[in-house]
Amino acid sequence: MKILSGTETSKEIKEELKKEVLNLKSMNIEPTLAVILVGDDPASAVYVRNKQRTCTELGFQSIERKMPEDTKQEDLLAVVKELNDDPAVNGILCQVPLPPQCNEQEVIQAILPEKDVDCFHPYNYGLLAAGIPKFMPCTPFGVLQILKRYGYETKGKNVVIIGRSNIVGRPLSILMSLKEWNATVTVCHSQTAKLAEVCRSADILISAIGIPNFVQAHYVKKGAVVIDVGINRVHDPSHPKGSRLVGDVDFEAIKDLAEAATPVPGGVGPMTIAMLMYNTINAARFQEGLEKFEL
Ligand code: GUN
């Protein structure tokens, strides 16, 4: 089974983005990403740190707004407004999930659509559903870039996606059904009947459900390409931290069946961050009246 490395693919893409950052800087444009982190969820803190590190690596300006766990909705909205009003800020990302007293949808909708580099705002979601996306949803577009750069065509393929979340499953199903990708897409969820049988019909099987070892051998057709979007922390006393990250796919169980698969870690995760940087470059370009930079 071939390993589809998101670490390697994201490196390749980041090199392309670095060149574009230099090009923008030669026009006195400096891409700037603002990240809002509310509370002390350790996983969110790791994601945000990785995003900041990648900003530095690519030559972006980055702004971080850390807010306490008991932040009130109005105070969060005030920070969003301040970043909306700052012309130096091209992209705004508010890390989710938010603490329970905050209203996630209200925050997402408060971010100006032209700064919504997550592509979470209903306006950008609508453009995507209409087949005219401006920003690309980061994780779904990361999946498409891995497939493309390893030479796996989606045209005419049966794609089965496990999971219908707003961040991954649903936007990925929309993208793959567009003319540019031409896949035949099935979206599965907790109420899907004969799930394993449906998954076995997939030429490309994508799991975004968040349950360790969910995808077993009987879910995978011989020769299928398997994309594991899950990032699950499991208890492991043999590990220095007492835990480790695993995906949704039982990698050992599928290794003699699948033609190729993405590992966890080092698969889709690093792609998401690269795509966020890509969207931030385009946010800066659009705000300067320039056309879309294509990957
Ligand atoms: N939490 C997990 N993934 C993401 C993401 O891509 N963007 C934001 N804002 N929060 C997340």
Coordinates of all heavy atoms in Angstrom, one line a residue, residues 44 47 51 93-97 118 120 138-139 167 272, ligand 1:
S44 N -6.9 22.6 20.7 CA -7.0 23.9 20.0 C -5.7 24.7 20.1 O -5.3 25.3 19.1 CB -8.2 24.7 20.5 OG -9.4 24.1 20.2
Y47 N -3.3 23.4 17.6 CA -3.6 23.8 16.2 C -3.2 25.2 16.0 O -2.6 25.6 15.0 CB -5.1 23.7 15.9 CG -5.7 22.3 15.9 CD1 -6.9 22.0 16.4 CD2 -4.9 21.2 15.4 CE1 -7.5 20.7 16.4 CE2 -5.5 19.9 15.4 CZ -6.7 19.7 15.9 OH -7.3 18.4 15.9
K51 N -0.5 26.9 13.4 CA -0.9 28.0 12.4 C 0.0 29.2 12.5 O 0.5 29.7 11.5 CB -2.4 28.4 12.6 CG -3.4 27.3 12.2 CD -4.8 27.6 12.7 CE -5.7 26.4 12.4 NZ -7.0 26.4 13.0
L93 N -9.6 34.0 11.7 CA -10.0 32.6 12.0 C -10.3 32.6 13.5 O -9.5 33.0 14.3 CB -8.9 31.6 11.6 CG -9.0 30.2 12.0 CD1 -8.3 29.4 11.0 CD2 -8.5 29.9 13.4
C94 N -11.5 32.1 13.8 CA -11.8 31.8 15.2 C -11.8 30.3 15.4 O -12.7 29.6 14.9 CB -13.1 32.5 15.6 SG -13.6 32.2 17.3
Q95 N -10.9 29.8 16.3 CA -10.8 28.4 16.5 C -12.0 27.9 17.1 O -12.5 28.4 18.1 CB -9.5 28.1 17.3 CG -9.2 26.6 17.5 CD -8.7 26.0 16.2 OE1 -8.1 26.6 15.3 NE2 -8.9 24.7 16.1
V96 N -12.6 26.8 16.5 CA -13.7 26.1 17.2 C -13.3 24.7 17.6 O -12.3 24.2 17.2 CB -14.9 26.0 16.1 CG1 -15.4 27.3 15.8 CG2 -14.5 25.2 14.9
P97 N -13.9 24.1 18.6 CA -15.2 24.6 19.3 C -14.9 25.7 20.2 O -13.8 25.8 20.8 CB -15.6 23.3 20.0 CG -14.4 22.5 20.2 CD -13.5 22.8 19.1
D118 N -11.6 30.5 6.7 CA -12.0 29.2 7.0 C -13.1 28.7 6.0 O -13.4 27.5 5.9 CB -12.7 29.1 8.4 CG -11.7 28.6 9.5 OD1 -10.9 27.8 9.2 OD2 -11.8 29.1 10.6
F120 N -16.2 29.3 6.4 CA -17.3 28.9 7.3 C -18.6 29.8 7.2 O -19.7 29.4 7.5 CB -16.9 28.9 8.8 CG -16.0 27.8 9.2 CD1 -15.4 27.8 10.5 CD2 -15.6 26.8 8.4 CE1 -14.6 26.8 11.0 CE2 -14.7 25.8 8.8 CZ -14.2 25.8 10.1
C138 N -10.9 24.5 4.0 CA -9.5 24.1 4.1 C -9.2 22.6 4.1 O -8.4 22.1 3.3 CB -8.8 24.7 5.4 SG -8.9 26.5 5.4
T139 N -9.9 21.9 5.0 CA -9.7 20.4 5.0 C -10.1 19.7 3.7 O -9.4 18.9 3.1 CB -10.3 19.8 6.3 OG1 -9.8 20.5 7.4 CG2 -10.0 18.3 6.4
I167 N -17.7 21.2 8.6 CA -16.3 21.6 8.3 C -15.7 20.7 7.3 O -14.9 21.1 6.5 CB -15.4 21.6 9.6 CG1 -16.0 22.5 10.7 CG2 -14.0 21.9 9.3 CD1 -15.1 22.6 11.9
T272 N -4.5 20.9 5.9 CA -5.5 21.9 6.3 C -4.8 23.2 6.6 O -5.3 24.3 6.1 CB -6.2 21.4 7.6 OG1 -6.9 20.2 7.3 CG2 -7.2 22.4 8.1
Ligands
GUN1 N1 -11.2 23.4 14.6 C1 -10.8 22.3 14.0 N2 -10.5 22.5 12.7 C2 -10.7 23.9 12.5 C3 -10.5 24.7 11.4 O1 -10.2 24.3 10.3 N3 -10.8 26.0 11.6 C4 -11.3 26.5 12.8 N4 -11.5 27.8 12.9 N5 -11.4 25.7 13.9 C5 -11.1 24.4 13.7

